[in-house]
Amino acid sequence: MNIIDGKLLAKTIKEEIALEVEKLVNGGNKKPHLAAVLVGDDPASQSYVRSKVRSCEQVGFDSTLVRKEADITESDLLEIIDKLNADDAIDGFIVQLPLPKHINEEKITLAIDPKKDVDGFHPTNFGRMAQGLPCYLPATPFGILQMLKRYDIDVEGKECVVLGRSNIVGSPISILLSRKATPGNATVVLCHSRTKDLAAHTKRADILIVALGKPEFITADMVKEGAVVIDVGINRVDDETAKRGYRLRGDVKYDEVAPKCSYITPVPGGVGPMTVTSLLMNTLKACKGDVYRK
Ligand code: L34
């Protein structure tokens, strides 16, 4: 069994990005600049955004954090987005999800200029991804592709089962792995809440990608011997014996599933840190005009 060390891989990729930034700056260009909008005080969102800002510092990017109270109106948030769209100093920006219930996430996503949509959530980028055109890939799927690539895991012709059909993980990763590309060319089955006999599918998987948000849902009996398991779940489970009062658990029952796997991602230290580096990679592309010419 091999552990896919997302934390270590993220560090390696950040070192590579830092070198590129140095080259850019030495060539007389400005540093890449990422802005993040954080609404409200959800502890998980705060921690993720903090990690994004810290990572920008590590690689030599400029960053701007726009913090707003949970009661901000939708129109005020849209105004902030318009300003970021128009601000030439900002290469790309994100609006951290989830947003408070009174704000329509779809409307917010649509308001972001696709050229600055380094999350890759805008339908323009999603559509371009689906057609294999230049685009910003959504951060978590992009991170998963990087893991497969850097660990030399061959997916071509393999049975790949994805659990969960969200717009930001399940749906895009299923499209990416079935594309005619590397990594890609997998035979993909996308399972969801209406899937009948889920275990019959998971047991066939050479590559199992789990993005359900259900702590320790996948047990050893659901996994084929030698499978590659990518655990996207990051669940905070109450635990009085833990320092912070909770522990992070994936969607996979790691201790019993890991011994059966050829490769597995841990939680924490797996997909999460790769989501952050993918955002940096997209921001670097935005700065260089690699996806949409400036
Ligand atoms: N707009 N909203 C937008 N873009 C995103 O890309 C995200 N996502 C998801 C939630 N909402 C978003 C993130 O940033 C999930 N996500 C994210 C980012 C980083 C980590 C996890 C999720 C991460 O670094 N996880 C660490 C543990 C962090 C902790 O201690 O809580 C890990 O090792 O898994």
Side-chain angles (χ1 to χ4, degrees):
M1 186 268 293
N2 299 288
I3 295 172
I4 302 179
D5 188 339
K7 202 172 165 186
L8 182 66
L9 185 52
K11 185 168 172 275
T12 305
I13 292 175
K14 279 195 257 187
E15 284 164 6
E16 293 169 7
I17 295 173
L19 283 178
E20 281 228 37
V21 173
E22 214 179 288
K23 266 195 251 165
L24 271 182
V25 173
N26 288 342
N29 296 290
K30 73 171 205 61
K31 294 176 178 179
H33 190 159
L34 172 73
V37 182
L38 175 60
V39 179
D41 49 17
D42 175 70
S45 296
Q46 287 189 59
S47 131
Y48 302 156
V49 171
R50 235 183 288 127
S51 159
K52 290 172 184 183
V53 171
R54 200 177 340 113
S55 298
C56 282
E57 285 162 15
Q58 287 168 351
V59 299
F61 287 8
D62 285 327
S63 65
T64 297
L65 175 58
V66 183
R67 281 205 74 155
K68 292 291 159 190
E69 300 286 328
D71 61 359
I72 186 175
T73 64
E74 190 177 88
S75 63
D76 283 351
L77 185 56
L78 287 168
E79 206 169 293
I80 291 170
I81 291 170
D82 281 343
K83 281 200 185 121
L84 291 169
N85 282 337
D87 186 343
D88 288 336
I90 306 281
D91 296 299
F93 68 96
I94 65 158
V95 179
Q96 187 71 18
L97 303 179
L99 289 168
K101 283 192 193 68
H102 66 280
I103 297 175
N104 182 341
E105 286 184 358
E106 195 180 292
K107 212 165 165 183
I108 299 302
T109 303
L110 283 168
I112 299 172
D113 182 346
K115 297 185 180 64
K116 292 198 174 186
D117 169 39
V118 284
D119 257 335
F121 291 174
H122 192 285
T124 294
N125 281 311
F126 194 101
R128 294 178 70 95
M129 171 204 67
Q131 297 195 347
L133 299 169
C135 65
Y136 300 116
L137 295 179
T140 301
F142 192 12
I144 295 170
L145 292 186
Q146 288 296 321
M147 290 174 138
L148 295 170
K149 203 168 164 178
R150 302 261 185 154
Y151 275 80
D152 261 329
I153 297 168
D154 191 15
V155 301
E156 182 163 323
K158 298 283 170 64
E159 294 270 334
C160 176
V161 174
V162 177
L163 306 191
R165 55 180 157 186
S166 72
N167 283 340
I168 64 175
V169 184
S171 171
I173 194 68
S174 71
I175 293 169
L176 287 164
L177 290 178
S178 49
R179 290 201 308 189
K180 198 169 191 170
T182 312
N185 288 318
T187 303
V188 179
V189 174
L190 179 56
C191 299
H192 45 73
S193 54
R194 305 292 169 88
T195 296
K196 286 184 188 148
D197 198 358
L198 190 71
H201 292 289
T202 60
K203 275 192 263 189
R204 284 173 52 90
D206 300 310
I207 295 153
L208 181 62
I209 300 179
V210 194
L212 291 170
K214 293 185 179 174
E216 304 190 302
F217 180 80
I218 298 295
T219 47
D221 57 309
M222 298 171 83
V223 177
K224 181 163 96 174
E225 195 70 46
V228 175
V229 174
I230 309 286
D231 187 353
V232 184
I234 300 184
N235 308 289
R236 294 185 169 202
V237 177
D238 290 340
D239 184 342
E240 284 170 18
T241 68
K243 231 193 290 167
R244 302 182 194 165
Y246 67 86
R247 284 185 200 283
L248 289 181
R249 289 280 179 258
D251 288 352
V252 175
K253 211 163 194 177
Y254 185 88
D255 289 346
E256 62 173 64
V257 172
K260 289 186 89 172
C261 297
S262 58
Y263 289 92
I264 187 166
T265 63
V267 177
V271 173
M274 293 301 295
T275 296
V276 179
T277 42
S278 300
L279 176 66
L280 299 177
M281 288 170 73
N282 280 343
T283 306
L284 181 63
K285 284 184 185 171
C287 176
K288 289 165 69 179
D290 284 351
V291 176
Y292 298 98
R293 241 182 279 147
K294 292 204 155 178

